[in-house]
Amino acid sequence: PGRTLRTSVVMEDVADNPGHMKTIRWRNIQSIADDPDQPYSELIQLTVEVGIGWGAGVPFNVNGVRGLVMYYSRKSVDLRQLQSTYNEDYLMAAADFIGSAWALRVPRLVAVREREDRLKKTMRRLRAKLRALLAFGATLQDIRDKRVSASDLPGTESSQGLIPHSFQDAGKLLMDGGKKAAQVTKDEVTKKAAWSERKLRQLARKSKGSRVMGPPPFTWEQTLVTGFGVLCTIAVILNLNYHLVDWYGTEYSMALGPLASFTASLYMLTAAPATQPRNNLLAQTCAMVVGLCIAYATPIHTWVREVISVTVCIMLQVKLGFIHAPAAGIALTFAAGTQSWNQIPIQICANMIAIVMATIINNLNDKRQYPTAWGFQPLFRYIDNRRYEMQKKKKQAEDNE
């Protein structure tokens, strides 16, 4: 649970501009350490104690290989120099250089493994030929002195001396082959047993948990802010739902359970990725569409439809990258067959109302920020690119003067 120093510093930037940043946003690490919504992190506290006050992350994208280069600076740094155009251009170019070295690792590893596999196949063929020669009476001395070779195996002209001439010789060869096969089987069983034991020990070690501490309790100020925000948001949504049902009937009602859990996360987990607007709107829409489509499978029992709907919804979320846990409740509710397509725009509008109210109420407090990222990349990317181009032209004009 919670975020590390690296994700705390770069979440806002990378969510909106993965691999396309034109400016570097420096984050105050002291404010991250004082954030009441995050669990206590010894790493962040030690980073502040040693004098590091600012941090930034610059993403890179080299032939589809994406990553992040972290930069840190002391507390007393001159931010004007740190944020100067020439310094940021240098840091972004350095990030691309470091990223190219990182991107080289995977192709190099593939090439090394390919050569290792080729060597293993060659050695496997060589061992098979040596075993065949030994099974048909050749000795290691004969093989070393090159008195026999692979051409001496049965079916070749020079293999007549290696073919057994009696039942006793044939039986001995079969017994030797059986012993070797039994030894190979025993080795495989031993390897499987060792693998199973290692997995069980790993399971037991991980089940004990880690040393990560839970989030600290809120101060009274933050508790009152949280209660005020939840009270206002839930009151508006429930009042709107009451009037919709009163005017138009239950076909235009809201799924209140997922809305209540989303509202709680808006004020308790303001920096969590699952709470951000993009994840909420995309995941809720996906869950409602999936649930309504599966609801048409009336021959299937209701509980089976609900199981399939929740499973498909979660798989789509993790695959497409918009994680939002309350959407699973939406998928279950809509798969029951009691909802209609009319409720999709109503549910989306209710979520947007909750997001707008949380944005206003949270950001009025000095120690809160919501959202950390809107997630609408094309628009923000275009704005950032235009701003960068204007700054670059202005810089060139100043240099020419």
Side-chain angles (χ1 to χ4, degrees), residues 118-143:
R118 203 180 311 158
L119 177 61
K120 289 179 181 178
K121 291 178 181 179
T122 302
M123 296 303 296
R124 194 179 300 118
R125 291 195 298 268
L126 178 60
R127 283 195 298 269
K129 291 181 180 181
L130 290 175
R131 288 174 180 173
L133 290 171
L134 293 173
F136 284 97
T139 63
L140 293 175
Q141 184 70 27
D142 294 334
I143 298 173

Side-chain angles (χ1 to χ4, degrees), residues 68-344:
L68 205 65
V69 178
M70 297 296 302
Y71 295 107
Y72 298 99
S73 181
R74 66 184 186 274
K75 295 179 182 179
S76 57
V77 68
D78 186 352
L79 283 179
R80 291 176 299 177
Q81 294 184 5
L82 197 63
Q83 297 174 341
S84 62
T85 303
Y86 68 85
N87 187 56
E88 291 191 348
D89 289 343
Y90 172 75
L91 293 180
M92 287 189 286
D96 292 336
F97 179 76
I98 297 171
S100 62
W102 176 262
L104 181 63
R105 294 175 65 256
V106 175
R108 180 181 179 280
L109 182 60
V110 171
V112 170
R113 288 181 177 175
E114 176 65 24
R115 294 182 181 181
E116 291 177 350
D117 291 341
R118 203 180 311 158
L119 177 61
K120 289 179 181 178
K121 291 178 181 179
T122 302
M123 296 303 296
R124 194 179 300 118
R125 291 195 298 268
L126 178 60
R127 283 195 298 269
K129 291 181 180 181
L130 290 175
R131 288 174 180 173
L133 290 171
L134 293 173
F136 284 97
T139 63
L140 293 175
Q141 184 70 27
D142 294 334
I143 298 173
R144 189 184 66 180
D145 297 340
K146 298 183 180 180
R147 290 198 290 267
V148 294
S149 63
S151 60
D152 296 323
L153 293 175
T156 61
E157 297 180 358
S158 59
S159 62
Q160 301 301 323
L162 299 177
I163 299 177
H165 298 286
S166 64
F167 287 108
Q168 290 81 2
D169 295 340
K172 183 179 179 181
L173 291 175
L174 289 174
M175 290 180 63
D176 293 341
K179 291 179 180 179
K180 293 178 180 179
Q183 183 63 36
V184 172
T185 304
K186 181 180 178 181
D187 294 341
E188 292 294 331
V189 171
T190 303
K191 291 180 181 179
K192 293 293 184 182
W195 179 84
S196 302
E197 181 181 1
R198 185 171 64 254
K199 285 295 180 182
L200 289 174
R201 289 182 178 178
Q202 178 181 342
L203 174 63
R205 185 180 69 255
K206 289 184 176 181
S207 300
K208 294 178 181 179
S210 60
R211 298 181 179 179
V212 177
M213 300 177 63
F218 280 15
T219 62
W220 279 111
E221 178 190 353
Q222 296 300 320
T223 302
L224 292 175
V225 171
T226 300
F228 175 76
V230 172
L231 174 65
C232 295
T233 306
I234 288 293
V236 171
I237 291 175
L238 289 180
N239 187 45
L240 178 61
N241 181 68
Y242 173 79
H243 284 89
L244 286 174
V245 173
D246 186 39
W247 295 337
Y248 303 105
T250 56
E251 291 186 359
Y252 293 88
S253 62
M254 304 176 188
L256 297 176
L259 274 173
S261 61
F262 175 54
T263 302
S265 64
L266 284 173
Y267 297 96
M268 294 192 300
L269 302 169
T270 57
T275 315
Q276 306 312 310
R278 170 184 174 273
N279 287 1
N280 166 257
L281 296 177
L282 293 180
Q284 295 266 1
T285 305
C286 174
M288 289 185 285
V289 172
V290 169
L292 288 173
C293 291
I294 294 178
Y296 285 111
T298 52
I300 304 177
H301 200 279
T302 303
W303 73 270
V304 179
R305 295 202 306 267
E306 293 172 347
V307 169
I308 296 174
S309 177
V310 173
T311 304
V312 173
C313 172
I314 293 175
M315 291 175 63
L316 288 175
Q317 287 185 50
V318 297
K319 178 60 181 176
L320 299 178
F322 42 81
I323 308 298
H324 184 66
I330 286 283
L332 187 145
T333 303
F334 276 66
T338 57
Q339 312 295 324
S340 66
W341 292 96
N342 298 330
Q343 292 173 286
I344 292 182

Side-chain angles (χ1 to χ4, degrees), residues 311-382:
T311 304
V312 173
C313 172
I314 293 175
M315 291 175 63
L316 288 175
Q317 287 185 50
V318 297
K319 178 60 181 176
L320 299 178
F322 42 81
I323 308 298
H324 184 66
I330 286 283
L332 187 145
T333 303
F334 276 66
T338 57
Q339 312 295 324
S340 66
W341 292 96
N342 298 330
Q343 292 173 286
I344 292 182
I346 297 175
Q347 195 75 18
I348 294 176
C349 289
N351 281 275
M352 293 178 66
I353 291 172
I355 291 171
V356 171
M357 294 187 65
T359 301
I360 297 173
I361 295 174
N362 280 320
N363 292 332
L364 287 175
N365 187 273
D366 294 337
K367 295 185 177 180
R368 289 172 175 255
Q369 179 184 350
Y370 180 83
T372 58
W374 284 96
F376 303 111
Q377 300 173 7
L379 177 61
F380 289 171
R381 188 183 306 160
Y382 174 78

